[in-house]
Amino acid sequence: MTAPQPEPPSSTAPGEGLLHAKIAGMDCGSCALTIEDGLRQLPGVRRVSVDFTTESLELEGDASRAQVEERLRQLGYRLRGAEDPSAQPSAAPGAAARSRGFLAFLLSEPQQRLALAAAGTVLIASGVAAASGAPAVRGLLTLALAATVVLVGAPIFGKGLRALVFSRRVNIDLLMTLAALGALAIGAAGEAATVVLLFTLGEGLERFSAARARESLRSLLELQPQTATLLERHAGQHPQEKHAHGAGPGHEHRHTEVVAASALEPGDLILVKPGERIAADGSVRSGSSSVDEGAVTGESLPVAKGAGDAVLAGTVNAEGALEVEVTRVAADSTPARIARLIEQAQAQRSPAERFIDRFARWYTPAVVVIAVLVVAAGVLAWGGPLIAPGGGSGGWLYRGLALLVVACPCALVISIPVTVVSSLTRLARCGVLVKGGEQLDRLAEVHTIAFDKTGTLTRGRPSVTAVQARGCEHEPQRAAGCAGCDEVIALAASVERGSEHPIAHAIMEWARSRGLAHRYPPARAIVAAAGRGVSGQLGGTAIAVGTEALMSARGSTNGAYQFSGLTGSARTVMLVARDSAVVGAIGVEDAVRDETRAVLAELRRAVPRLRTAMLTGDNPRVAAEVAGRIGEVDEVRAQLLPADKLEAIERLRREHGPVAMVGDGINDAPALARADVGIAMGGGACAQAMETAHVVLMQNDLKRLPALLRVARRNRAIVRENIALSLLLKLAFLALAIPGFATLWLAVVADVGTTVLVTLNGMRMLRAR
């Protein structure tokens, strides 16, 4: 049974003018360009984008689905519909073969099997002909070679000619068609067969490399189990007793029912037994256990879970039974959302990919023109033969055909997307989601990283460490039992009760621990001042909790009292005011993450000349204290509102070049969007920060950050290596082809060999350490 797709394979509605679909039959990036050009010829098409690595089509315009299907059929491709078995991940052609390796993948496809069989037959026939030496045997061999060209090359010839007619484009298939048929016409049947055989096998390698990259989606979707043990529906209804296995203490007599995971709804209560995968995102209602989250977040060690803790679909429960309340439907589970993000990322082309696409559009037809000019110049200007006796490499037509094969841009077209997708896939397996090749490329340029403080460099879970009422004689750390200090906490709790801010949670936790959380009813008319605090009405009294800036704006005065007992540490001091008078202060402290110092030091080793900055809304004293504890921060800016963080990012960019911003809160979202690369701490980030950011760290820590930057820089290096390697090898063989030193079979070996070399070089990123 197959997990649901992250999104439907195709969807369109009448009148919407937007079609999302999957395309079957593409061999390489050149196919995507051919389809784009062909669909643009349809009337009413405003925009079309096709991505080879994800097999996805996005078309905007008035063209109907039927028109799109017909044009794809004319070009030799097809849409994958919901009824198409190949649209399902586990049923995709050759899915099992891909896991076994390249040879098994080739044997799973009819055209590749035909090419391999023809190659074996030709080799045997060539050996027999060489041993015999009889003209009749050689004649039969020539016929066998010609038949091989026609049978194996027919799909190539068809796609090349259809691209010329319907897309008005000279593509790679047309280059191979001209080279193979030209070689056959001048009597070089052996070379013609070599061209089609090796080109067919090269296309198989390209499909194999792209399929390997797509495995990330399939493996993520298969993490989510297909069934769940239901304890209670969200409406409070108990299921029929279909299974009453001993799932653990307290579960022996509970009514349970095994249901499809796709049928679960928010509010349902499910039982997760030891050793089972969790079927849906949810929250632990009861029970305790450790959960292996490595497959989803990249976390290497099991994480302890108890009542109130969030759990993710696809993670593995260890030793204890858990009752989990479902919070998301299966289609919106963490694995499904990650899969959608990865697919969107794979569909976004990096700057190098966009350049190669533009380059290929004029380069391929230019190669045909250059080949014609070389042949014409050789015959007319230098008086050489058009066709040498016996079809040898001395003829200028033969040299022009060799030039067509050598100049084929296969290696350039396939190597960059394979490298980028391999890098994105490798990072996803480590719990880092990069939302596109462009963002990955930008990361390689970053030499300045700005960090939010709370929740990023620190744990993000502050706690109250001191309370001091105005005129209180107690030490702030020993305020328990002081009536004035209790009053300060109770007033603060009345306005902070409904807030999701970490400081509000800390105040409420302190208030609950002392039985003060409900001394006063919740305040009304709550108003939050971003980065400053919150205020509300308690009866007829105005209550405010916040910074000195908030108190000044309200006109609340502190008089000569300075709450001196709360200074001198990394505490954030929140003043509490009743009407116009400050009645006390609460000291809140957020501990620095254990890994922060080591991660920043490793970042400096990973990125030469790295500059770091800390941007925080906290007061300068606390910011300086935290920066001193970390010891790896070059610049500290404090008391920043969200707009101030935007200005700080702009200033850093002007002074130091491309900037990455790391944050987790809703107040960080504008800065994350403005930075060249925004990085959200996924484990604890708010939804807006995760949506806005270009990169999401699935674990709520910084440990993956150095690896992210290393992979980005290595990805760019390999992309440049592949471009240089492709161009240098092409130029070298062109220099041999024009004087006649390169035979056709050597040209196609060079072309396929270069493609293999750069593809394998790009796929190294799948195993990047």
Side-chain angles (χ1 to χ4, degrees), residues 622-655:
V622 172
E625 177 74 18
V626 171
R629 293 181 185 180
I630 296 171
E632 297 285 347
V633 180
D634 298 309
E635 181 177 347
V636 177
R637 296 200 64 187
Q639 288 186 320
L640 300 182
L641 298 176
D644 298 325
K645 288 188 177 183
L646 279 180
E647 190 279 329
I649 292 293
E650 290 288 1
R651 186 180 60 79
L652 288 170
R653 182 189 284 128
R654 288 194 303 269
E655 295 177 0

Side-chain angles (χ1 to χ4, degrees), residues 200-266:
T200 300
L201 295 177
E203 284 188 324
L205 174 65
E206 293 170 0
R207 285 196 298 277
F208 173 73
S209 61
R212 287 287 297 273
R214 295 182 196 117
E215 286 295 328
S216 60
L217 293 176
R218 186 170 296 106
S219 61
L220 278 169
L221 289 171
E222 290 174 351
L223 286 176
Q224 190 163 338
Q226 300 306 300
T227 60
T229 302
L230 181 67
L231 287 173
E232 184 179 303
R233 284 292 182 189
H234 66 283
Q237 299 175 351
H238 293 276
Q240 297 291 328
E241 184 174 1
K242 295 188 177 180
H243 299 270
H245 306 305
H251 302 290
E252 292 85 348
H253 304 293
R254 297 286 294 276
H255 288 197
T256 63
E257 178 182 354
V258 175
V259 299
S262 58
L264 294 174
E265 298 179 8

Side-chain angles (χ1 to χ4, degrees), residues 360-509:
R361 288 186 187 279
W362 65 262
Y363 170 81
T364 310
V367 165
V368 177
V369 174
I370 292 171
V372 171
L373 292 176
V374 166
V375 173
V379 174
L380 301 177
W382 295 314
L386 180 65
I387 301 175
S393 59
W396 280 98
L397 180 57
Y398 187 100
R399 298 181 194 184
L401 296 175
L403 190 150
L404 284 180
V405 175
V406 167
C408 177
C410 282
L412 275 174
V413 170
I414 191 65
S415 66
I416 297 174
V418 165
T419 305
V420 172
V421 170
S422 296
S423 299
L424 295 175
T425 301
R426 179 61 181 142
L427 286 169
R429 289 175 182 170
C430 295
V432 181
L433 299 183
V434 183
K435 296 183 180 179
E438 182 171 0
Q439 287 80 8
L440 189 65
D441 189 69
R442 278 193 219 143
L443 268 170
E445 300 177 349
V446 165
H447 288 272
T448 303
I449 304 180
F451 295 89
D452 170 53
K453 178 180 73 68
T454 304
T456 303
L457 296 175
T458 63
R459 295 184 183 279
R461 300 179 67 176
S463 58
V464 173
T465 57
V467 180
Q468 189 173 15
R470 186 184 178 99
C472 179
E473 299 298 330
H474 291 88
E475 288 290 330
Q477 291 86 348
R478 299 171 184 168
C482 169
C485 295
D486 286 351
E487 180 70 2
V488 169
I489 285 291
L491 289 172
S494 70
V495 293
E496 297 283 16
R497 191 170 301 175
S499 175
E500 292 299 320
H501 194 281
I503 290 180
H505 284 293
I507 291 174
M508 290 306 302
E509 184 177 347

Side-chain angles (χ1 to χ4, degrees), residues 60 64 123 150 173 175 180 217 303 314 324-325 376 389 391 457 522 593 599 604 606 632 638 648 651 691 729:
E60 183 181 345
S64 67
L123 287 173
V150 173
D173 296 290
L175 289 186
L217 293 176
V303 180
V324 175
E325 182 178 339
L457 296 175
R593 290 178 181 270
V599 166
R604 293 190 183 277
E632 297 285 347
R651 186 180 60 79
E691 289 294 326
L729 288 175

Side-chain angles (χ1 to χ4, degrees), residues 1 14 22 25 131 161 299 307 446 522 546 567 682 702:
M1 194 172 183
K22 296 289 184 181
L161 293 174
E299 173 61 61
V446 165
T567 60
L702 298 168

